[in-house]
Amino acid sequence: MSDSNRTEFTSPSTFILVGIPGLEAAHVWISIPFSVMYVITILGNFIILFIVKREPSLHEPMYYFLCMLAITDLVLSTSTLPTTLSNFWFNSREISFNGCLAQLYFVHCFTAIESGIFVAMALDRYVAICHPLRYSTILTNSVIAKLSLAVVLRGATITLPYPFLARHWPYCRTNIIPYTHCEHIIVVKLACADISISSYYGLFVLLCRIGLDVLFITMSYIQILRAIFRLPTKDARLKSFGTCSSHLCVILTFYIPTLFFSLSQRFGHNLPLHVHVLLANVYLLVPPMLNPIIYGVRTKQIRDRLIQLFTH
C-alpha cells in the first residue's frame, strides 16, 4: 500500500478502499448491523415485489411505482454493501479503476432515479385525491410507462458525466480512498488537477435531485392538503391523508439523510472523517431498508396481503 501511495501515475489500475478510517479495529463489529440492514432490505423489497405481482387488485399506478422503488433500493444497496462487507470481513480493499467508476455511477444514478420515483408518486397521490373521478383516465398504463421511462432516463443521463469527468483527471498523488465505497467527490479529490468542473456539476445535480424534486413534491402536497381540508367530514380527511402518509414517511427517510450527507461534504470540514463515512452509508443503507417496512405497516392493502401470506 505504501508503494502505491508513493508512485506517481496518471491512470491508476486500482484504488484502495480504507473502509472507515480510525475504526478499522471495529470493522467486524460494524459489519453486523450493516449485514442485518442488507438482509432486511433484500427480504423486504422482494416481499413487496412478490405481493404486488401476485395480487391483481394491486396492479395500479401507486403499486407500480412502489415496485420501481423496491427494485431501485435493491440495486442501490447492492452496488455498495458487498464491497463494504468484503472489506470488513476479508480485508479485500482493492477495487479496479473501472469498477470504482462504475460503482460511483450506479450510486448516483439510482439515487437520482429514486428521487424521481418520489416525484412520480407525489403526482399519483395528487391525481388520486384532487381528481379522483379522472384517476383511471389520467394515469393510464401508457402514461405510467412514459413517466417511468422519463424517471429512469433522467437519472441515467444526469449522472453520466460523473465517471467521464473522473476518468479525465490525472491521478498522481495517491490511490487510497478513505471510504467504504467509491463516492464521486471523494474520488475526484484525489486528482492532481483543478476539479472545479466536477465539483460544480455535482452541485448542479444535487440542486436538480434535491432542490427541484423537493419543490415539485411540495407543490403537489400543497394542492393535496388544500383538497383534503375541503372535504366535509373529519373521517374523510383522515382517510385521504392516510393514503399519503406512507409516501410522506419514505420521502423524509430518503431526503433527510441525503441532505445531511451532502451538507457535511461541503460544510462539515471540522467533522471527523469516520463521521462522514458513516453518514454516507446511512443515506445509502437506511432508506432501502425502511421503505418496505413503512409501506408494509402503513399501507392496508399490502399489510393484509402480507398477513395472508404468512398465515397460509
Side-chain angles (χ1 to χ4, degrees):
M1 186 184 299
S2 60
D3 291 339
S4 63
N5 196 18
R6 291 193 299 263
T7 303
E8 292 188 359
F9 47 84
T10 57
S11 181
S13 59
T14 60
F15 281 114
I16 306 298
L17 295 170
V18 172
I20 305 178
L23 298 179
E24 289 87 353
H27 276 177
V28 174
W29 295 106
I30 296 173
S31 70
I32 296 174
F34 278 32
S35 302
V36 171
M37 286 191 288
Y38 189 50
V39 170
I40 294 174
T41 298
I42 298 294
L43 290 177
N45 285 290
F46 269 116
I47 288 173
I48 292 290
L49 291 170
F50 176 76
I51 289 176
V52 174
K53 183 180 184 299
R54 185 180 179 182
E55 184 57 51
S57 65
L58 299 181
H59 294 176
E60 297 178 355
M62 173 183 173
Y63 300 103
Y64 292 151
F65 291 133
L66 182 56
C67 288
M68 281 188 65
L69 182 64
I71 294 171
T72 302
D73 285 337
L74 288 170
V75 176
L76 189 59
S77 56
T78 304
S79 63
T80 60
L81 199 54
T83 303
T84 302
L85 293 179
S86 178
N87 186 338
F88 288 174
W89 291 339
F90 310 113
N91 203 30
S92 176
R93 299 184 175 188
E94 287 193 1
I95 184 172
S96 68
F97 183 60
N98 291 330
C100 186
L101 296 182
Q103 186 180 62
L104 69 86
Y105 174 72
F106 271 92
V107 167
H108 291 279
C109 172
F110 281 90
T111 303
I113 289 174
E114 183 153 342
S115 184
I117 293 172
F118 289 136
V119 176
M121 295 173 87
L123 175 64
D124 169 78
R125 292 299 84 202
Y126 165 76
V127 176
I129 292 177
C130 298
H131 305 283
L133 300 179
R134 299 169 55 199
Y135 180 78
S136 58
T137 58
I138 294 176
L139 292 180
T140 61
N141 288 338
S142 174
V143 172
I144 296 301
K146 291 176 182 177
L147 274 174
S148 303
L149 182 61
V151 167
V152 173
L153 288 179
R154 190 200 71 154
T157 55
I158 198 173
T159 54
L160 192 59
Y162 277 170
F164 287 102
L165 287 172
R167 179 183 287 276
H168 170 73
W169 306 124
Y171 296 87
C172 57
R173 293 174 182 165
T174 180
N175 64 340
I176 299 175
I177 301 176
Y179 252 63
T180 55
H181 59 275
C182 290
E183 179 67 36
H184 169 251
I185 195 64
I186 302 302
V187 173
V188 297
K189 280 183 178 179
L190 301 180
C192 50
D194 183 7
I195 59 167
S196 299
I197 297 176
S198 289
S199 181
Y200 289 139
Y201 187 76
L203 184 60
F204 165 75
V205 173
L206 183 66
L207 290 175
C208 289
R209 183 162 58 85
I210 295 183
L212 289 179
D213 288 358
V214 170
L215 177 62
F216 289 141
I217 292 171
T218 303
M219 291 172 61
S220 298
Y221 270 93
I222 288 174
Q223 298 299 321
I224 289 170
L225 291 175
R226 289 176 61 186
I228 288 176
F229 287 129
R230 284 199 297 263
L231 294 175
T233 64
K234 182 180 179 180
D235 289 340
R237 290 193 291 269
L238 290 175
K239 183 178 180 181
S240 296
F241 188 77
T243 63
C244 303
S245 59
S246 301
H247 184 224
L248 287 172
C249 288
V250 296
I251 285 175
L252 293 175
T253 59
F254 176 76
Y255 284 111
I256 290 177
T258 302
L259 186 61
F260 270 107
F261 171 70
S262 301
L263 292 176
S264 70
Q265 284 294 311
R266 284 163 174 80
F267 306 109
H269 303 297
N270 295 325
L271 290 176
L273 185 54
H274 66 269
V275 174
H276 288 280
V277 180
L278 289 173
L279 285 174
N281 284 279
V282 164
Y283 104 95
L284 290 176
L285 297 179
V286 172
M289 177 190 69
L290 291 181
N291 289 345
I293 296 175
I294 292 171
Y295 273 101
V297 172
R298 302 285 302 176
T299 307
K300 183 178 184 300
Q301 292 87 336
I302 293 179
R303 186 172 66 247
D304 292 345
R305 270 64 176 188
L306 190 62
I307 293 173
Q308 291 176 7
L309 177 66
F310 284 102
T311 300
H312 289 295

